[in-house]
């Protein structure tokens, strides 16, 4: 999830099948049998939007059925009812087949599909573990801007160089809003009421949050815990700590000091954010099985009433309505993200990333682009809001959409708490080539936090400093590589002297930089 995409866990069956496919078979396997094995592990049923037609093997259009893969389980019904169905009715010669998978399974299926030339026409990038910029540079996708008028669409002002547009060509767009984060405390209001904690009153500070969690722990029955932190997933922890650090005063997104361009993973706000999570464990309010949970596992535990508070993203309630609707009926609330002091800082996000991309292997790019363009209309955006996943790109449609009041409240909190920060690759086209060249550094932020919370290390400051230093060195190496290829970019690309912490860094700010 992430730039963050949604962060999804892996169900037991899917994880087992994934483990049974060895790395050698996964990387080298080009047979349809390996791809079928990966797809068989999908937990979303792997159903096409027109199952009967697909079962009959009928094709439509010059390239056969349009294949679409993604990880958005809460959006399944909405996609089929409000996007694919109407499009196929209007275009009788078109058939669209969709597969929904958990993110790890999707990443495996895409890797195997690329090796065997069986990629779908349209897919998301969840589970691939690479940035879209890197995937563009490796030739995964083809541009869509010449096939459909995204520049004239309602989301045109949210299309950015280095995120959606590369070398002057539009490859993707943002169907969702960047004004969101993954650290909203979601509440079991029934448990909070039992502990006499007001779900309508957000704790003002981290200490207030800790006190509320202790009251829940002490004021409810045996087996109920204050907070869930799914420590098994470093990606979840990475996102959570980034958000808490900006709430503690760090610039963002990206853990970069915009005055100097330096990485700041070892700065005081990041140390404070990790210490806050450690303090929750020291208070004894974190669910004791958290170390063995991924985000989806944790949501199921929350839905079962094992804990009262779970920090996660806006898609939380949409996922509940699909898989644990009884938890929503029982009572669900949400708070502002807490901050260290009563004087609140903003949480910073990037502009929303591209989500759906057209494969370079697709022989139906015009059809794929036209279908994607339908997602930019106000009508579809309102239906997207009603699915209660990530907030739609056109945030104002939430007010007119059929959404749960708690979802609407969460979106209103985002509008108060979140600002859009600078993104170097938008300002300087060469940056995305640097990012594509950079190799992953391990342990990364999420892995360091995981080690801290599981007791594998207690040198938080030292580990964060080493990560920052190694990441800085890797950026310098990547810069030298792309500069040697004639790309004009240097460390100044990461400096934004006109950044105003209180306002969005928008297209005008980039122009005035």
């Amino acid at each position: 999830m992430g730039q963050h995409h949604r962060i999804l866990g892996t169900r037991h069956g899917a994880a087992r099948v994934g483990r049974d496919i060895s790395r050698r078979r996964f990387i080298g396997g080009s047979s349809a049998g390996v791809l079928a094995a990966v797809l068989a592990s999908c937990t979303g049923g792997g159903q096409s939007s027109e199952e009967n037609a697909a079962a009959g093997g009928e094709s439509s259009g010059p390239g056969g059925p349009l294949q679409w893969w993604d990880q958005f389980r809460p959006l399944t019904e909405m996609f089929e009812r409000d996007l694919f169905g109407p499009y196929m009715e209007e275009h009788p010669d078109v058939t669209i087949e969709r597969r929904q998978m958990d993110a790890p399974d999707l990443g495996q299926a895409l890797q195997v599909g690329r090796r065997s030339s069986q990629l779908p026409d349209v897919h998301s990038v969840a589970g691939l573990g690479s940035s879209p910029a890197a995937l563009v540079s490796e030739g995964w996708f083809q541009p869509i801007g010449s096939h459909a008028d995204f520049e004239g669409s309602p989301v045109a002002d949210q299309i950015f160089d280095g995120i959606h547009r590369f070398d002057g060509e539009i490859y993707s767009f943002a169907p969702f809003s960047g004004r969101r984060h993954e650290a909203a405390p979601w509440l079991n209001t029934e448990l909070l009421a039992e502990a006499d904690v007001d779900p309508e009153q957000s704790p003002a500070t981290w200490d207030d949050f800790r006190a509320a969690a202790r009251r829940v722990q002490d004021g409810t029955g045996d087996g109920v815990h204050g907070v869930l932190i799914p420590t098994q997933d470093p990606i979840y922890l990475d996102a959570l700590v980034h958000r808490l650090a900006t709430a503690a005063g760090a610039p963002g997104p990206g853990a970069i000091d915009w005055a100097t361009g330096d990485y700041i993973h070892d700065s005081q706000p990041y140390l404070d954010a990790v210490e806050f999570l450690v303090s929750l464990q020291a208070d004894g309010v974190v669910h004791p099985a958290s170390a063995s949970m991924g985000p989806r596992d944790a949501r199921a535990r929350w839905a079962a009433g094992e804990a009262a508070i779970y920090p996660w993203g806006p898609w939380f309630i949409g996922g509940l309505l699909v898989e644990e609707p009884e938890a929503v009926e029982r009572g669900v609330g949400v708070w502002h993200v807490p901050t260290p002091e009563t004087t609140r800082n903003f949480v910073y996000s990037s502009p929303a990333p591209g989500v759906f991309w057209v494969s370079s292997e697709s022989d139906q790019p015009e059809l794929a682009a036209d279908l994607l363009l339908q997602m930019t209309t106000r009508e579809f955006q309102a239906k997207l809001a009603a699915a209660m996943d990530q907030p739609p790109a056109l945030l104002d449609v939430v007010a007119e959409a059929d959404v749960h009041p708690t979802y609407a409240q969460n979106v209103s909190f985002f509008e108060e708490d979140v600002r859009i920060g600078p993104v170097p690759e938008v300002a300087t086209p060469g940056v995305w080539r640097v990012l594509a060249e950079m190799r992953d550094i391990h342990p990364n932020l999420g892995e360091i936090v995981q080690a801290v919370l599981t007791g594998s290390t207690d040198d938080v400051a030292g580990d964060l400093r080493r990560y920052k230093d190694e990441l800085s060195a890797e950026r310098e190496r990547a810069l030298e590589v792309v500069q040697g290829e004639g790309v004009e970019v240097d460390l100044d690309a990461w400096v934004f002297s006109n950044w105003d912490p209180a306002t969005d860094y928008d297209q005008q700010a980039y122009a005035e930089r």
Side-chain angles (χ1 to χ4, degrees):
M1 125 160 257
Q3 185 323 191
H4 261 20
H5 296 287
R6 297 182 54 205
I7 306 171
L8 297 175
T10 308
R11 289 188 175 189
H12 176 71
R16 182 180 62 251
V17 174
R19 286 194 296 269
D20 290 343
I21 300 175
S22 70
R23 176 175 175 82
R24 182 180 297 275
R25 286 183 62 207
F26 172 62
I27 298 299
S30 61
S31 71
V34 175
L35 180 61
V38 174
L39 294 179
S41 75
C42 304
T43 60
Q47 304 299 319
S48 70
S49 59
E50 288 292 311
E51 185 174 10
N52 293 336
E58 300 176 10
S59 67
S60 59
L66 185 85
Q67 302 289 336
W68 175 300
W69 296 357
D70 68 65
Q71 83 282 12
F72 294 103
R73 185 177 180 87
L75 300 182
T76 295
E77 181 180 352
M78 189 275 297
F79 274 151
E80 295 179 356
R81 182 189 65 234
D82 299 322
L83 181 60
F84 303 145
Y87 195 88
M88 288 187 287
E89 286 181 15
E90 189 173 338
H91 304 82
D93 60 336
V94 171
T95 298
I96 302 163
E97 296 180 359
R98 174 178 179 259
R99 291 184 181 274
Q100 179 272 319
M101 317 174 208
D102 281 349
D105 300 323
L106 176 60
Q108 288 187 352
L110 290 170
Q111 291 277 17
V112 175
R114 182 167 167 82
R115 294 286 297 182
S116 58
S117 298
Q118 297 180 75
L119 282 172
D121 297 278
V122 180
H123 63 85
S124 61
V125 296
L128 284 176
S130 294
S131 70
L135 297 172
V136 168
S137 72
E138 293 167 7
W140 276 72
F141 313 124
Q142 58 182 302
I144 59 176
S146 62
H147 301 306
D149 186 17
F150 291 94
E151 293 281 15
S153 74
V155 303
D157 64 340
Q158 299 183 51
I159 295 175
F160 289 88
D161 291 337
I163 299 178
H164 317 102
R165 187 190 291 108
F166 300 88
D167 292 334
E169 298 275 3
I170 294 176
Y171 280 75
S172 190
F173 69 100
F176 303 114
S177 172
R179 202 176 302 283
R180 50 94 173 162
H181 61 73
E182 305 85 356
W186 291 92
L187 315 170
N188 179 321
T189 57
E190 185 177 63
L191 291 176
L192 263 65
E194 185 178 339
D196 198 27
V197 174
D198 185 359
E200 300 297 326
Q201 184 64 46
S202 295
T205 68
W206 287 353
D207 285 343
D208 293 337
F209 182 93
R210 293 172 61 188
R214 288 194 296 267
R215 287 180 63 186
V216 170
Q217 186 100 341
D218 296 340
T220 52
D222 292 341
V224 176
H225 305 279
V227 185
L228 276 162
I229 306 289
T231 310
Q232 188 184 60
D233 192 332
I235 299 175
Y236 170 92
L237 294 172
D238 179 282
L240 180 61
V241 169
H242 273 304
R243 304 308 196 176
L244 291 173
T246 58
I256 294 169
D257 180 347
W258 301 126
T260 64
D262 295 332
Y263 291 115
I264 56 169
H265 296 85
D266 61 342
S267 63
Q268 195 60 48
Y270 279 86
L271 293 169
D272 290 345
V274 177
E275 180 56 36
F276 171 56
L277 297 181
V278 171
S279 71
L280 291 173
Q281 281 199 334
D283 291 344
V285 298
V286 177
H287 194 297
S290 289
S292 64
M293 295 183 204
R296 184 168 285 180
D297 304 320
R299 191 192 67 200
R301 298 285 194 116
W302 181 95
E306 294 184 23
I309 306 168
Y310 179 18
W312 208 16
W315 48 82
F316 181 80
I317 192 168
L320 286 174
L321 287 167
V322 170
E323 296 191 342
E324 294 101 1
E326 67 283 352
V328 178
E329 295 174 6
R330 180 188 61 218
V332 56
V334 68
W335 282 335
H336 286 279
V337 61
T339 57
E341 307 295 338
T342 54
T343 300
R344 297 186 62 80
N345 298 303
F346 291 110
V347 174
Y348 296 101
S349 288
S350 303
V355 176
F356 301 108
W357 305 76
V358 176
S359 166
S360 57
E361 297 179 7
S362 174
D363 58 1
Q364 304 183 80
E366 298 89 351
L367 172 58
D370 189 53
L371 178 62
L372 289 171
L373 186 65
Q374 311 312 307
M375 300 181 74
T376 70
T377 66
R378 286 189 64 84
E379 179 183 15
F380 182 83
Q381 286 278 301
K383 292 174 179 177
L384 191 61
M388 290 177 279
D389 197 270
Q390 298 181 54
L394 306 180
L395 265 185
D396 62 310
V397 304
V398 174
E400 60 197 56
D402 181 17
V403 300
H404 192 283
T406 303
Y407 182 85
Q409 184 178 46
N410 184 223
V411 171
S412 73
F413 287 170
F414 291 156
E415 293 185 278
E416 295 178 43
D417 296 342
V418 179
R419 295 294 178 265
I420 304 301
V423 178
E425 54 266 40
V426 174
T428 307
V431 169
W432 75 264
R433 296 190 181 277
V434 177
L435 299 179
E437 171 64 28
M438 288 178 66
R439 299 171 296 208
D440 291 339
I441 303 298
H442 296 283
N444 58 32
L445 175 63
E447 291 162 345
I448 291 169
V449 176
Q450 182 185 60
V452 171
L453 295 179
T454 56
S456 299
T457 182
D458 58 5
D459 185 13
V460 182
D463 289 343
L464 290 177
R465 183 173 57 256
R466 280 187 288 273
Y467 174 61
K468 182 204 72 171
D469 290 344
E470 291 180 19
L471 189 63
S472 300
E474 176 59 17
R475 181 174 60 176
E476 291 177 3
R477 184 201 66 80
L479 270 167
E480 291 182 5
V481 170
V482 300
Q483 288 168 347
E485 296 170 349
V487 178
E488 295 185 5
V489 60
D490 57 29
L491 282 174
D492 286 342
W494 280 262
V495 176
F496 292 83
S497 57
N498 67 334
W499 175 60
D500 179 354
T503 64
D504 290 340
Y505 203 90
D506 57 14
Q507 300 275 15
Q508 181 177 347
Y510 286 107
E512 296 173 349
R513 176 174 176 259

